[in-house]
Amino acid sequence: MASLRMQGLKKRFGTMEIIPSLDLEIADHEFVVFVGPSGCGKSTLLRIIAGLEPITEGDLFIGDQRVNDLTPAQRDIAMVFQDYALYPHMTVYQNMAFGLQMRHTPQAEIDARVQNAARLLDIEPLLKRRPRALSGGQRQRVAMGRAIVRDPKVFLFDEPLSNLDAQLRGQVRSEIKALSQRLKTTMIFVTHDQVEAMTMADRIVVLRGGVIQQVGAPEEIYGRPANRFVAGFIGSPSMNFLPVNLADGAAHLPDSRTLNIGTALRGTAVLGIRPEHFIPAPEGTGMPVDVTLVEPLGSDTLVHFLVGDIKCIARVAPDTRPHVGERLPLSVAPGKAYLFDPETGARLA
Amino acid sequence: MQLSASSRHRGALALLSMPAVLFTAMMVVFPILYTIWLSFRTAPLGHATQFVGLANYSQLAHAPQFWNSIKVSLTLYVISLALQLTGGTYLAVLLFQAKRMPAILRSVLISPFMVPPVVVGMMFLVILDPSLGAANWVLSLFGIGPSAWLASPEWVIPTVALIDTWQWMPFVALIVLGGLQSLPPSVYEAAKIDGAPSRLVFWRITLPLLLPTLATAAILRTVDLLRFFDIIYVTTQGGPLNASDTLNIYGFHIGFELFQFGYASALAMTLTAMVFGVVLALNRLRKAVDW
Amino acid sequence: MSDRTLSQPRREQLMRVLVIAQLVILAIGILFPIAWMVTSSFKSSADVTAYPPTLLFRPTLDNYTRLLQTTPFFSYARNSLIESGSSTLIGLLLGVPAAYAASITRASWPALVTLSARMAPGTLFLIPWYIVFRDLGMVGTYGALILTQAAITLPIVIWVLLPAFDAIPRSILEAAGVDGCGILRSLWRVALPLVSSGLVIATILAFVFSWNYFLFALVLSDENTKPLVVAAFNYIGEGSTDWGGLMAAATLIALPPLVLAIAVQRWLVAGLTLGAVKG
């Protein structure tokens, strides 16, 4: 009922093209995350869906209805803002009730819905307070409560976790995820944080320069990135990229070493290896690297090394503790070497 | 080492403020104390002062002219403040909607409150002249009969309020504009999504959020309005028939035309207390609405 | 192109035109008295008292030449300049270090003084000043006028600069201290450059308010030390029939503050309100 469809959607600010032309369908009840670096157009796209930015060209459908000409209020969406945008002069209760009052909802129902949402979010004791008297996490909940009481067709989240400290962020992240499964409403969540994207989304939309790079489930985005950009953006630390020459099933590295990756391709390519896909090889096999820095993280250890003059990182088991300057043989987990076209960045294998 | 350095530091800081402290003691604190002292004494010109207790204050309480001045001052204050806050807010909303403010427009807005009040008085004497003034001519263009303006006991206070509003409404508008510009845009967007029509947004969101700014503007204007002097002294000197005899005009008359310094001191203290009281009340209001 | 992109800008355009129309009307209303004063000053004595008023007239400099020839306008102007200039200088010399020290030590007395100087009516100060200056034989001297006007300029300087100094991150001043700057040198080399625009505003506001201030000079000046605003008030009595001359004087007196204020217009209102918002 509340699916979303964008057809040939374009957005220009003056002569600046923010979104060249975008097609996307979002299914009912789906939790979709728009992710990308700052300036990739993800927030603009969200604001277009909200009706806060006019569409330059193309169509936007919510359900079967074309909503290009509808005001934000008519679109029946709710939005959680990055700075929460609570009304500072209203109590928590009034903040949550305001949208319903504007829709002339009967007072008894407003009351029931606000109480219900407050219970759901565990903010019942705060209903009489003003936003100033709330912590960041509490404000965040009120902002969500304001969206929930509206029972909208679509929930929009504009980087709602970026103002929370790291610990709280993890907690709220799982709460939003749980909430989405409970409310069964279409949700669109914008973030620049790939961890948020990976952990919450049913589907991730990776954006860059207003162009969709890839749409897919988290494991698909991670496991089969469409191109070098997606591969580099998703995953932390980032994938290592090395220009290579392919011949005889092996990749020849810039410093004329060879890494056996078993590929049928030939010619120049960019080899991509995620840090976690390096594995220490038995002495005398694999590719020996000179360790330049060791970062023990507890759960595992990051080993920095150079291939030619390219900095690379391997994530290895925590009990592997090489010393700086030590020579460590590494190999690549089978089937985990990605190859990209050096010109277009598209994935070859 | 640390201690001596920091005490030297503090000594240097004290030294920096010393000249201002001395000046203030001499030119501000001493006069206030002296006036308090004088308000309990008679101080006829050329004679020694003499303690009279509360006589000056009780004389004040029994002087019909004092109560007239209170009425005049408060009437002028209320009319002017109401005009300036509503007009200023209206002008500020327009400026906010126009988004850009050309330098020429800003110059126009700044000009009135930078003109010396004496000059303001002079120009309105000419413009509001009952027989030859431009104001009556403009009214006649709209088919409205002439007014005596400053020469009319009924109209003199509204007229002075209009003059002061001409001078200070743009100032209030610029303050309110600053307040409008500092309101978070996302709150407006949230209101849009909540479905509030724009008129409701103004009354339910914008205006409540502007209250601290409006209170600040009100405080700044209160301080000047309750002490109103220059323009009235230049134009009507408190007339006609004492109809524009504000507390400060009355006090000046007693002090520097009749030279009853004790009585004038009691009046000055009363006026100061009034200003303090109103400003304190407004300041509490401002804190209460500082969301 | 969808309907929205066509109709939305048109609606916005209409709104814009309405807003600008209202602003233009208001601006004309605000400008009118000043424009009337200036045009009247260029009218002949017949034109200036004509009713209905003449809108088209042959401009003349008669009013100005008569004003400058028959009255000691220039000596009044010199008095204004001496009194406003000196009191502004005193205000800065006393106020800048005091505001800086108060900002660092978080002392509240300067704010309090500023506040009481702004709230008390002029007569409250004037009565004791008059008595003391009379006893000292100083009534009518530049000294008395400069000192009393400095009681106007000092609070303005503190009012503008205190929040400006407060806005400097403490770490910058601490860094200057670590780098070996004493109090005076960190004020001169670090703090003052950082508040330079505040300093300009403080100077101009102090000068303008001192130039415009009427009451103290009304009582404490004599014929030789009378500033323009007081002299102008006397013109009203003498020249009640000479509107042209009156408006010429008014225009000349208003000119310096207007020019100064417009030169710094962008920061002016912030300078006038900052102290209030902080207090």
Side-chain angles (χ1 to χ4, degrees), chain A residues 66-85:
Chain A
R66 182 174 170 280
V67 297
N68 285 40
D69 304 325
L70 297 189
T71 64
Q74 292 165 332
R75 292 186 189 194
D76 199 10
I77 44 102
M79 184 157 167
V80 177
F81 290 82
Q82 185 170 9
D83 60 357
Y84 316 137

Side-chain angles (χ1 to χ4, degrees), chain B residues 184-241:
Chain B
S186 65
V187 168
Y188 286 103
E189 293 179 346
K192 241 185 195 175
I193 287 177
D194 270 341
S198 51
R199 196 180 310 129
L200 250 169
V201 169
F202 178 78
W203 289 108
R204 297 275 310 260
I205 312 279
T206 312
L207 207 56
L209 293 184
L210 272 182
L211 281 179
T213 313
L214 287 171
T216 301
I219 289 173
L220 289 170
R221 291 312 302 138
T222 298
V223 165
D224 288 341
L225 281 167
L226 285 177
R227 303 180 306 172
F228 210 102
F229 181 80
D230 294 12
I231 292 176
I232 291 181
Y233 190 79
V234 169
T235 53
T236 68
Q237 303 241 316
L241 302 172

Side-chain angles (χ1 to χ4, degrees), chain C residues 8-24:
Chain C
Q8 180 84 354
R10 189 164 295 176
R11 211 173 35 231
E12 271 170 20
Q13 227 166 21
L14 186 72
M15 278 290 294
R16 243 190 112 63
V17 168
L18 279 175
V19 164
I20 288 170
Q22 291 178 74
L23 279 175
V24 167

Side-chain angles (χ1 to χ4, degrees), chain C residues 204-218:
Chain C
I204 285 183
L205 281 179
F207 185 86
V208 167
F209 275 71
S210 171
W211 179 278
N212 291 358
Y213 206 86
F214 174 61
L215 178 60
F216 297 162
L218 177 69

Side-chain angles (χ1 to χ4, degrees), chain A residues 80-150:
Chain A
V80 177
F81 290 82
Q82 185 170 9
D83 60 357
Y84 316 137
L86 299 179
Y87 308 120
H89 58 300
M90 298 185 194
T91 62
V92 168
Y93 182 97
Q94 290 166 331
N95 262 285
M96 287 161 62
F98 188 72
L100 296 173
Q101 283 167 0
M102 291 302 116
R103 285 169 168 70
H104 307 292
T105 312
Q107 185 57 43
E109 194 186 335
I110 293 180
D111 206 53
R113 285 212 215 173
V114 171
Q115 296 294 351
N116 204 9
R119 202 171 317 121
L120 191 67
L121 293 165
D122 208 14
I123 50 171
E124 283 166 296
L126 309 178
L127 284 175
K128 289 205 174 79
R129 293 210 205 156
R130 285 190 216 285
R132 196 168 66 162
L134 302 179
S135 70
Q138 290 169 333
R139 285 178 208 181
Q140 213 280 337
R141 280 157 195 269
V142 176
M144 290 210 292
R146 181 167 68 180
I148 290 172
V149 293
R150 290 264 319 282

Side-chain angles (χ1 to χ4, degrees), chain C residues 75-85 211 226-229:
Chain C
S75 74
Y76 297 143
R78 201 193 59 212
N79 292 341
S80 272
L81 213 56
I82 289 173
E83 288 150 20
S84 303
W211 179 278
K226 195 185 282 181
L228 278 174
V229 283

